[in-house]
Amino acid sequence: MKIDHIGIWAHDIELLRDFYTKYLNMECGHKYTNPAKNFSSYFLSFGQGDTRIELMHIPEPESISDTAQLKGLAHIAVAVGSREKVNALTEQLRNDGYAILGEPRVTGDGYYESVAADPEGNRIEITV
């Protein structure tokens, strides 16, 4: 088994697409739209890797009968390769006005990471 993708509901799907492609160097596929459901999405990936993120948007989520599907994402962890890169990306995000929710540190379970918020407040762990 493997995780195929992580879905994120977005208020502004273009803003999030731009964030993930700029700061996490993700590649973006074509925009999918379903006019019958007033739904649109993008799949983003790390090149040839298997892990993908699906950014999803419905203009009026309160129209969804099961609003429980709009809850549940805790965070996305992205490995950048070194402590120096964790520090550098954290500072870049801070300097560009994004909220840093957790400063770079070694966690209780031994990871070196920081935590930032994307433009809609989703938590991103930046780790080695």
Side-chain angles (χ1 to χ4, degrees):
M1 289 186 225
K2 66 177 184 169
I3 295 174
D4 181 68
H5 70 275
I6 298 166
I8 301 174
W9 286 107
H11 294 289
D12 185 335
I13 195 170
E14 308 301 332
L15 179 67
L16 284 190
R17 180 202 59 196
D18 292 347
F19 176 87
Y20 284 96
T21 57
K22 178 178 180 178
Y23 292 106
L24 303 183
N25 297 319
M26 297 189 83
E27 296 177 7
C28 183
H30 296 288
K31 187 174 188 177
Y32 165 76
T33 57
N34 182 329
K37 294 187 176 186
N38 205 16
F39 172 85
S40 60
S41 71
Y42 285 109
F43 272 101
L44 301 127
S45 66
F46 293 103
Q48 300 298 320
D50 291 334
T51 304
R52 299 178 300 154
I53 294 174
E54 181 183 15
L55 301 177
M56 306 174 298
H57 175 74
I58 293 176
E60 298 180 33
E62 58 275 0
S63 66
I64 298 172
S65 60
D66 181 11
T67 57
Q69 71 174 317
L70 302 179
K71 300 177 182 178
L73 178 67
H75 67 267
I76 297 168
V78 178
V80 296
S82 71
R83 287 183 176 206
E84 292 78 16
K85 289 180 181 179
V86 169
N87 296 340
L89 181 53
T90 303
E91 287 309 308
Q92 181 183 6
L93 291 168
R94 183 191 327 274
N95 291 337
D96 287 351
Y98 294 99
I100 303 304
L101 306 176
E103 295 296 328
R105 67 187 179 95
V106 176
T107 64
D109 52 359
Y111 288 95
Y112 186 77
E113 68 181 34
S114 66
V115 181
D118 73 12
E120 292 190 1
N122 298 300
R123 298 169 67 91
I124 302 169
E125 288 183 0
I126 304 163
T127 188
V128 176

